[in-house]
Amino acid sequence: MKIFEKSECPEESLLPMRKAFKGTFISAGGYDREDGNQAVAQKHTDLVAYGRLFLANPDLPRRFELDAPLNEYNRETFYTPDPVIGYTDYPFLETNVA
């Protein structure tokens, strides 16, 4: 189940930039755990950024490690000053999940 929007930019379209750039290449935009791992394994990128998923899952590395369910993010709460919701109120994974 995918709970986020996929990037509208196909990963393959980044390959010319990846080949031309000699530094650390970071990709972002709709990656889930599996897609991110695959992109790194196939050397399409060096690192993957998980912006929206990290906002909704402050413990994202732990969730990925456990293959735990992810919180869904709510785009309507991004960048809203009042009330301040969406950045600080997403629940952490329960500590009894092993």
Side-chain angles (χ1 to χ4, degrees):
M1 176 173 99
K2 303 223 179 190
I3 59 171
F4 55 91
E5 304 124 26
K6 287 300 278 180
S7 171
E8 293 186 23
C9 176
E11 188 175 291
E12 293 78 26
S13 69
L14 296 175
L15 290 178
M17 287 180 273
R18 167 72 166 140
K19 290 176 183 175
F21 184 69
K22 301 305 177 201
T24 301
F25 197 79
I26 304 172
S27 298
Y31 288 93
D32 61 13
R33 179 178 175 252
E34 182 181 328
D35 293 338
N37 285 339
Q38 184 177 3
V40 172
Q42 293 177 347
K43 302 198 182 307
H44 291 181
T45 193
D46 295 310
L47 300 168
V48 175
Y50 297 96
R52 293 178 292 245
L53 288 183
F54 239 124
L55 285 175
N57 299 277
D59 52 358
L60 187 63
R62 180 77 172 141
R63 289 174 187 260
F64 277 3
E65 177 185 2
L66 297 173
D67 200 19
L70 301 178
N71 297 322
E72 291 188 40
Y73 61 80
N74 180 356
R75 259 183 189 257
E76 293 179 15
T77 64
F78 290 1
Y79 312 111
T80 57
D82 190 31
V84 179
I85 56 172
Y87 282 102
T88 59
D89 58 350
Y90 286 104
F92 283 81
L93 193 61
E94 293 184 26
T95 56
N96 61 357
V97 174

